[in-house]
């Protein structure tokens, strides 16, 4: 029996995209016919790259994956899922804190919008990587080159060099 193509979204802020995110995309796409990386705008998070810059960076990184596309959105994630006709939301899990938070989010999204969430476990080597930490370490002059893809590292360095230093 031929099944209806399954379209999933992988929502996040991706500011910046890390090796952990890329790993989830690489393994996650195998589960679906189509995966849309959905770059959201979180008003509560400090922004390093604009949504357009993030989309552009991610597009380059997934250029070799024909079933992956990238879009930004500024509405509720479930609303974006509805607009693009996605059946599933893909999320990554790193630790028990993620499980607790994601469980609540997944239940809410299923209740209010009827959308299912599929979780993928992080690879051990990226279990501790998150974008907030990458931003903080980089802002304080630390080396994040092993946590993010090389083109993102270059963009991050350029961004920090052009930033006025805060007193
Ligand atoms: P972060 O939590 O790093 O700020 P996002 O809000 O962009 O990133 O997260 C988007 C999704 O990617 C979430 O489901 C998050 O759990 C997942 N994710 C982020 N980093 C990793 C990682 N290192 N391994 C697995 N999943 C991850």
């Amino acid at each position: 029996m031929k099944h209806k193509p399954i379209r999933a979204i992988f929502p996040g802020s991706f500011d910046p995209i890390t090796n952990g995110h890329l790993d989830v995309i690489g393994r996650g796409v195998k589960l679906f016919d189509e995966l849309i990386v959905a770059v959201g705008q979180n008003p509560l998070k400090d922004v390093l790259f604009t949504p357009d810059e993030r989309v552009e960076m991610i597009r380059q990184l997934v250029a070799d994956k024909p079933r992956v596309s990238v879009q930004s959105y500024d509405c509720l994630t479930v609303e974006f899922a509805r607009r693009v006709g996605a059946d599933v939301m893909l999320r990554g899990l790193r630790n028990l804190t993620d499980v607790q938070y994601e469980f609540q989010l997944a239940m809410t999204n299923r209740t209010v919008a009827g959308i299912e969430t599929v979780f993928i476990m992080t690879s051990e080597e990226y279990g501790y990587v998150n974008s907030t930490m990458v931003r903080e370490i980089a802002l304080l002059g630390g080396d994040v080159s092993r946590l993010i893809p090389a083109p993102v590292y270059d963009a991050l360095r350029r961004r920090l060099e052009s930033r006025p230093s805060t007193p």
Side-chain angles (χ1 to χ4, degrees), residues 129-149:
V129 181
N130 73 62
S131 301
T132 306
M133 207 183 281
V134 166
R135 283 200 304 274
E136 282 173 9
I137 297 172
L139 278 167
L140 295 170
D143 180 5
V144 290
S145 58
R146 277 181 299 171
L147 310 182
I148 54 180

Side-chain angles (χ1 to χ4, degrees), residues 89-102:
M89 230 184 264
L90 173 67
R91 298 286 288 176
L93 292 176
R94 287 165 287 201
N95 47 45
L96 285 178
T97 313
D98 273 359
V99 172
Q100 203 160 22
Y101 171 73
E102 295 287 343

Side-chain angles (χ1 to χ4, degrees), residues 2-35:
K2 232 178 149 242
H3 72 79
K4 167 180 164 286
I6 301 179
R7 178 176 291 167
I9 62 167
F10 178 39
S13 35
F14 306 104
D15 190 29
I17 185 163
T18 67
N19 289 337
H21 291 129
L22 263 190
D23 173 59
V24 170
I25 294 170
R27 287 185 296 124
V29 69
K30 296 179 191 153
L31 306 176
F32 310 107
D33 297 289
E34 204 188 314
L35 180 64

Side-chain angles (χ1 to χ4, degrees), residues 63-122:
D64 61 335
K65 295 180 174 59
R67 287 185 293 114
V68 179
S69 60
V70 191
Q71 291 186 42
S72 66
Y73 68 101
D74 59 5
C75 54
L76 273 177
T77 304
V78 290
E79 171 59 18
F80 177 75
R82 196 190 58 75
R83 281 186 203 166
V84 297
D87 315 277
V88 174
M89 230 184 264
L90 173 67
R91 298 286 288 176
L93 292 176
R94 287 165 287 201
N95 47 45
L96 285 178
T97 313
D98 273 359
V99 172
Q100 203 160 22
Y101 171 73
E102 295 287 343
F103 185 86
Q104 208 169 23
L105 199 62
M107 295 288 276
T108 310
N109 288 339
R110 199 175 60 200
T111 309
V112 303
I115 189 158
E116 293 291 348
T117 304
V118 168
F119 295 105
I120 201 160
M121 288 297 300
T122 183

